[in-house]
Amino acid sequence: MSTITQPDQHESVISRMSVLDRFLAVWILAAMALGLLLGRTFPGLNAALDSIKIANISVPIAIGLLVMMYPVLAKVRYTEINRVTGDRKLMVLSLVLNWLVGPALMFSLAWLLLPDLPEYRTGLIIVGLARCIAMVFIWNDLACGDREAAAVLVAINSVFQVLMFGVLGWFYLQILPGWLGLSTTSAEFSFWAIVLSVVVFLGIPLVAGYLTRTLGERAKGREWYEEKFLPKIGPWALIGLLFTIVLLFALQGEAITSQPLAVARIALPLLAYFVVMFGGAMVLSKLSGLNYAKSTSVSMTAAGNNFELAIAVAIGTFGITSGQALAGVVGPLIEVPVLVALVYVAKWAGRKFWAGDPTVPVD
């Protein structure tokens, strides 16, 4: 989503960001406020939007998500996968954190803190399964992480989600609760609905992004592609995200404003999740011998979640005004300020625990 290049240690990261990226939190908060205002001003808006569906997928939401995710996935250097995957410590640590620790931690926090709210609990578990593939680029760049490592981890997470999201959703929502003697998700839950949502909202932009880069570089070269083409399509990622947030908050406006306590309860496990995942990833990365830049990339990708995909799956499976969708919508509200704060934590940790490492930012 971000249009900036690999960080220069002697240049301020903020100064090189576009106006759209620099004030990201402001735009997101404004989109949330606008969505809430629209939802409260036009009570019939949610029913009207919910009626525009194809194969139980909301067309307006689908448009926003596809517009948001395509530019992000078009930025990934797919040809660099072999180089970065050669770092076994980085790869193993990232895969374990993202696909074993992350989902299990969110499952535990959801059941521990929301035992009496099954819809919100299910929504959070879905969030835990959706590994970050979009906004992580922004947090990684702000913290001066290794952009190529982040890009490869994002690409791998993208492929894993297409292949494994439906399987893990079935396991964490039906199989594991049964083994533990806990109540399972409503019978309305559909494994194939999750698979369809993942294929539409992740598979389509992933294939489009891969083909765009491959064909673009083949026709015009990498320099043209990254310096001319990507800056033109980059802003559309944020436009798509903001459009989607406006729609989601318009649809959930009444629920959010009328249930502040429920929103606060959803926020608590999310906050705990971000802090534990980021802190644990930084410590494990340091112990594994990774430099600051790679440690930051591992930590940011582990802490962040793909709320866009989680929301899409929740909507496609449980409905656009469901509690599961609300849990996903609350996610960006908490993620943005927390991850911004963790950027500063990462820089502080770099100066304190990676002293002498040339990848530690000087600003």
Side-chain angles (χ1 to χ4, degrees):
M1 187 181 302
S2 174
T3 58
I4 63 180
T5 57
Q6 181 68 30
D8 183 336
Q9 296 297 326
H10 301 288
E11 185 179 358
S12 170
V13 176
I14 296 294
S15 67
R16 290 180 290 105
M17 295 181 70
S18 68
V19 174
L20 286 176
D21 288 342
R22 191 179 305 175
F23 297 101
L24 175 66
V26 175
W27 309 137
I28 290 180
L29 291 174
M32 292 175 180
L34 177 59
L36 291 174
L37 179 62
L38 290 173
R40 300 295 293 185
T41 305
F42 304 101
L45 182 61
N46 59 349
L49 292 173
D50 194 27
S51 66
I52 309 174
K53 291 182 177 180
I54 296 178
N56 205 37
I57 293 177
S58 170
V59 173
I61 297 295
I63 292 173
L65 290 173
L66 292 175
V67 169
M68 189 217 75
M69 298 183 75
Y70 163 67
V72 174
L73 292 170
K75 290 181 179 181
V76 176
R77 290 182 175 180
Y78 296 94
T79 56
E80 299 290 331
I81 289 181
N82 289 336
R83 180 181 66 81
V84 179
T85 52
D87 189 333
R88 293 187 178 181
K89 290 181 180 179
L90 180 144
M91 293 305 304
V92 171
L93 183 58
S94 179
L95 289 172
V96 169
L97 287 169
N98 276 287
W99 297 101
L100 293 179
V101 178
L105 176 62
M106 188 68 87
F107 176 88
S108 302
L109 290 171
W111 273 99
L112 179 64
L113 299 176
L114 301 173
D116 57 328
L117 296 172
E119 289 191 355
Y120 301 151
R121 184 177 66 236
T122 297
L124 285 181
I125 292 173
I126 292 175
V127 168
L129 300 177
R131 311 315 303 164
C132 192
I133 67 166
M135 288 172 59
V136 67
F137 284 122
I138 295 174
W139 316 131
N140 186 70
D141 281 336
L142 285 172
C144 298
D146 186 317
R147 201 175 198 288
E148 292 308 318
V152 169
L153 295 179
V154 161
I156 292 173
N157 278 345
S158 300
V159 174
F160 261 74
Q161 285 187 90
V162 172
L163 298 175
M164 296 301 299
F165 193 100
V167 175
L168 290 175
W170 170 69
F171 176 75
Y172 277 102
L173 294 175
Q174 291 192 331
I175 300 301
L176 185 57
W179 288 352
L180 299 177
L182 305 171
S183 61
T184 58
T185 300
S186 165
E188 296 178 0
F189 166 80
S190 169
F191 169 83
W192 294 111
I194 283 187
V195 172
L196 176 62
S197 295
V198 174
V199 170
V200 171
F201 294 111
L202 183 56
I204 291 176
L206 177 61
V207 172
Y210 173 79
L211 291 177
T212 300
R213 177 173 277 278
T214 301
L215 298 177
E217 288 190 357
R218 185 178 300 171
K220 296 281 190 175
R222 174 168 289 187
E223 182 177 355
W224 172 87
Y225 184 83
E226 295 190 345
E227 296 183 8
K228 301 293 184 181
F229 180 72
L230 287 183
K232 291 182 179 179
I233 68 169
W236 283 98
L238 180 56
I239 292 172
L241 174 62
L242 296 178
F243 174 77
T244 304
I245 289 176
V246 170
L247 288 180
L248 291 171
F249 275 77
L251 292 165
Q252 295 283 358
E254 183 176 354
I256 292 174
T257 56
S258 63
Q259 304 177 62
L261 181 58
V263 172
R265 290 193 62 184
I266 293 171
L268 185 58
L270 284 170
L271 178 61
Y273 174 87
F274 292 138
V275 173
V276 172
M277 285 299 292
F278 180 84
M282 286 294 277
V283 171
L284 291 175
S285 296
K286 173 63 177 177
L287 294 175
S288 297
L290 298 181
N291 64 20
Y292 168 80
K294 288 184 177 180
S295 297
T296 298
S297 297
V298 169
S299 301
M300 289 297 179
T301 52
N305 290 88
N306 185 359
F307 287 102
E308 299 80 20
L309 176 61
I311 292 167
V313 169
I315 290 172
T317 307
F318 300 100
I320 204 164
T321 58
S322 64
Q324 290 87 345
L326 176 61
V329 171
V330 173
L333 183 66
I334 308 302
E335 182 186 43
V336 172
V338 171
L339 268 293
V340 168
L342 290 178
V343 166
Y344 292 98
V345 172
K347 290 184 175 183
W348 169 83
R351 291 189 293 269
K352 186 173 180 61
F353 300 109
W354 279 268
D357 187 328
T359 66
V360 175
V362 296
D363 58 331

